Amino acid sequence: MLVVDVLVIGAGPAGSSAAKHAALNGAEVLMIDKKSEIGVPKRCAEGVSKEGLKQLGIEPNPRWITKELSGVRMVSPNGTDVILDEDKVKLPEAGYILERKVFDKFMAMDAARAGAQIMVKTLATGLKREGDRVIVSAEHMDHEFEIQAKIIIAADGPESRVGRWAGLKTGTKPKNMESCAQFEMVNVEMKEPDCIEFHFGSVAPGGYAWIFPKGDDLANVGLGILNTLTEKTAYQHLLEFVDNNPATQNAQPVELNIGGDPVGGVIKDLVADNVLVVGDAAGMVNPLTGGGITSGMTGGRIAGEVAAKAVKDEAWSAKDMKEYKKLCQEEVADSFKKYLKTKEYLLSLSDEELDSIAEAFQETDFDVINTSEIVKKLVKVSPKALLKLGKLF
Amino acid sequence: MIVKEWCMYCGECAGVCPRNLIEVRELGLRFNEEGCKDCQICIQICPVDALEK
Ligand SMILES: Cc1cc2nc3c(=O)[nH]c(=O)nc-3n(C[C@H](O)[C@H](O)[C@H](O)COP(=O)(O)OP(=O)(O)OC[C@H]3O[C@@H](n4cnc5c(N)ncnc54)[C@H](O)[C@@H]3O)c2cc1C
Ligand code: SF4
Ligand code: SF4
């Protein structure tokens, strides 16, 4: 049996961040992932904010940045667009486009350099408690074995099975799980090649469609839907979007990516005896954008620090580690509240309302506009839309 | 549960299974059929329609 202080299950950005910070703070750390190649396949549109990386102390590296962006283009159902300039409006997930396959590996390498051990193609299959330790059963090829740990950091992404093994209510309700499909495409002809693009309305019921440029004529073209609001699959919606969007008339796919994105907000119970949950597994995803890279890594940093401290103090019950929940609330969950509201507002609007709002704001200089002017404009175009807004804020 | 050969092991179905019955391997999906209540939630969420009862 392998014996470690901290076992991190999942080597995505959240797990690698947790492993790095637990190791940096003196714990003996093992991180396992079922994948044979960390970061592959990608399940991501790869947008990340500069501010988010900076706060994590991660230096931008040309080996995993494919494109630097200058703004956001938002497109309403009839094609009317509003462009927001990055200098004028702070926008989440709108600084760089990553190459996740490389980024995720680099984050794992950071963890290894900090002292963590890594095992790839190693699947966790179950968990039990023995005294004050946890025993995780695992498989590596034909080798079935057990790992004993003081603390488990559950970083197993949207599947979020590990937390449930430990008795926590992780896992996602279908109404909170964006079902996503995306092509990475070549020959994409974007109107604003330096902007990320969001398309709202019935193209993607319960979510939005996106085009995120990756340099040259490459882009991630995808969408997320709520399957509770449409009969079609995410993939069928994607095929329609690509058929109808002007930017993709000549585009060809080089990759198909699919996956779930939990957008219901951070789960209530993040801590059990011996167990901390981080990243997508804990719902650390911006509910408006679906972005979870930097928020998951922030949760990972906190989990790593709390776990290492618990090892030092020799105290890892849920009560001993409850500060994890408080810190995640302050550093991750609180900032999501306004995005959840904005999302509810957007999803409440009909295609016609979205069009009239986009038309009203098309020529707006967001540098000089203030809230009362926004409200004045909204009253003019759609009192109903404004009423919906009033109900939320 | 029948898993079609075009399943991409993305794990979205496992995340929404209310009974946590779906094991997602790197290249495989295993159901704990015994506990399955046939709620079809996993079937409905799949982005590529790869599950069939
Ligand atoms: C289509 C799509 C587009 C997205 N676009 C963006 C975006 O533009 N910007 C952004 O910030 N976020 C985006 N996201 C969200 C982002 O991808 C996730 O928030 C992020 O990957 C979460 O990181 P994580 O480490 O929590 O989980 P993951 O990256 O999912 O990593 C979990 C890891 O755990 C491993 N694992 C799971 N179970 C086990 C087990 N039992 N044993 C061993 N290993 C296991 C998996 O193999 C995986 O490597 C998008 C998501 C989707 C689906
Ligand atoms: S959601 Fe569909 S494609 Fe993804 S693992 Fe489940 S069955 Fe396979
Ligand atoms: S039918 Fe329901 S209980 Fe059975 S595996 Fe699917 S989601 Fe789980």
Side-chain angles (χ1 to χ4, degrees):
Chain A
M1 177 153 55
L2 279 171
V3 180
V4 292
D5 291 335
V6 178
L7 172 65
V8 180
I9 302 177
S16 287
S17 172
K20 171 178 156 183
H21 289 280
L24 281 178
N25 287 284
E28 197 187 315
V29 181
L30 171 64
M31 174 164 73
I32 64 171
D33 201 295
K34 65 182 170 188
K35 290 177 174 177
S36 50
E37 184 174 354
I38 289 172
V40 179
K42 82 165 191 269
R43 299 196 173 104
C44 189
E46 308 182 286
V48 78
S49 75
K50 290 178 192 171
E51 190 57 31
L53 286 181
K54 203 166 141 204
Q55 276 173 13
L56 287 158
I58 293 167
E59 283 291 317
N61 184 325
R63 287 173 71 177
W64 44 253
I65 289 175
T66 60
K67 173 93 188 162
E68 194 173 341
L69 303 160
S70 66
V72 176
R73 176 171 181 252
M74 296 198 280
V75 188
S76 78
N78 71 4
T80 309
D81 58 0
V82 177
I83 293 167
L84 300 179
D85 210 313
E86 205 218 6
D87 308 331
K88 295 175 187 168
V89 195
K90 275 264 163 294
L91 301 156
E93 274 73 64
Y96 298 119
I97 303 299
L98 303 174
E99 190 69 76
R100 277 287 299 268
K101 291 170 193 165
V102 184
F103 177 79
D104 283 23
K105 283 196 195 80
F106 268 61
M107 295 304 108
M109 291 174 201
D110 272 357
R113 291 193 187 107
Q117 285 180 277
I118 301 176
M119 290 177 72
V120 292
K121 200 140 179 84
T122 303
L123 175 78
T125 55
L127 173 156
K128 63 182 180 204
R129 290 201 172 81
E130 244 179 53
D132 69 346
R133 305 292 157 97
V134 224
I135 314 279
V136 167
S137 48
E139 287 179 30
H140 173 71
M141 309 212 180
D142 66 343
H143 181 46
E144 290 180 24
F145 63 105
E146 291 183 329
I147 307 163
Q148 188 207 70
K150 294 167 182 163
I151 297 160
I152 305 290
I153 296 180
D156 55 333
E159 292 165 39
S160 199
R161 306 193 70 214
V162 178
R164 288 185 275 177
W165 293 338
L168 294 171
K169 288 200 183 93
T170 65
T172 306
K173 293 201 170 73
K175 72 171 170 52
N176 290 325
M177 185 71 105
E178 290 286 337
S179 187
C180 305
Q182 168 181 278
F183 287 125
E184 184 166 327
M185 304 191 95
V186 66
N187 287 343
V188 182
E189 294 149 336
M190 294 178 75
K191 193 173 157 200
E192 298 283 341
D194 295 327
C195 288
I196 55 174
E197 238 178 73
F198 295 102
H199 296 252
F200 299 102
S202 52
V203 277
Y208 63 86
W210 62 79
I211 305 183
F212 284 13
K214 286 190 79 173
D216 300 329
D217 53 354
L218 296 181
N220 289 323
V221 181
L223 48 74
I225 54 139
L226 290 177
N227 89 304
T228 46
L229 299 178
T230 168
E231 292 298 310
K232 292 179 220 160
T233 64
Y235 184 61
Q236 285 165 332
H237 279 284
L238 175 64
L239 292 177
E240 284 175 17
F241 178 66
V242 168
D243 263 352
N244 296 325
N245 194 280
T248 45
Q249 293 310 303
N250 296 309
Q252 299 298 324
V254 291
E255 250 185 60
L256 171 62
N257 314 121
I258 59 166
D261 201 0
V263 291
V266 179
I267 58 167
K268 275 208 194 83
D269 274 338
L270 295 168
V271 189
D273 291 343
N274 313 81
V275 178
L276 303 173
V277 191
V278 303
D280 272 25
M284 292 177 181
V285 174
N286 181 319
L288 173 64
T289 63
I293 301 169
T294 52
S295 41
M297 292 184 74
T298 305
R301 191 203 76 229
I302 303 168
E305 288 169 356
V306 168
K309 181 167 178 293
V311 170
K312 271 189 202 139
D313 299 346
E314 296 187 32
W316 42 77
S317 72
K319 217 173 128 214
D320 298 321
M321 299 192 292
K322 69 172 190 300
E323 106 183 270
Y324 175 61
K325 193 180 157 177
K326 186 176 147 266
L327 293 171
C328 287
Q329 183 68 39
E330 290 167 8
E331 290 194 48
V332 184
D334 283 349
S335 71
F336 287 166
K337 281 182 192 149
K338 63 172 187 249
Y339 294 118
L340 195 58
K341 292 252 156 111
T342 315
K343 179 177 91 167
E344 282 170 17
Y345 177 58
L346 268 177
L347 293 188
S348 75
L349 299 171
S350 67
D351 279 7
E352 292 70 32
E353 284 169 326
L354 286 164
D355 287 335
S356 54
I357 293 172
E359 275 152 26
F361 285 96
Q362 199 174 22
E363 302 303 332
T364 305
D365 184 354
F366 283 91
D367 208 10
V368 292
I369 197 167
N370 57 34
T371 319
S372 73
E373 280 176 71
I374 292 181
V375 171
K376 267 189 224 150
K377 279 200 178 222
L378 268 180
V379 178
K380 250 192 253 157
V381 292
S382 169
K384 219 170 115 207
L386 186 68
L387 211 66
K388 287 178 182 167
L389 188 67
K391 273 189 197 140
L392 283 163
F393 289 91
Chain B
M1 196 70 71
I2 301 163
V3 183
K4 309 279 188 177
E5 47 141 348
W6 60 83
C7 166
M8 294 168 72
Y9 318 112
C10 71
E12 181 161 2
C13 52
V16 294
C17 170
R19 302 173 71 81
N20 201 11
L21 302 177
I22 310 176
E23 179 176 275
V24 189
R25 308 174 71 84
E26 187 178 25
L27 298 169
L29 218 55
R30 283 188 196 163
F31 285 77
N32 175 351
E33 303 266 356
E34 250 170 58
C36 176
K37 286 283 184 260
D38 199 16
C39 66
Q40 314 259 326
I41 289 174
C42 54
I43 299 176
Q44 284 154 14
I45 204 123
C46 176
V48 291
D49 230 345
L51 293 176
E52 193 185 312
K53 191 65 198 176

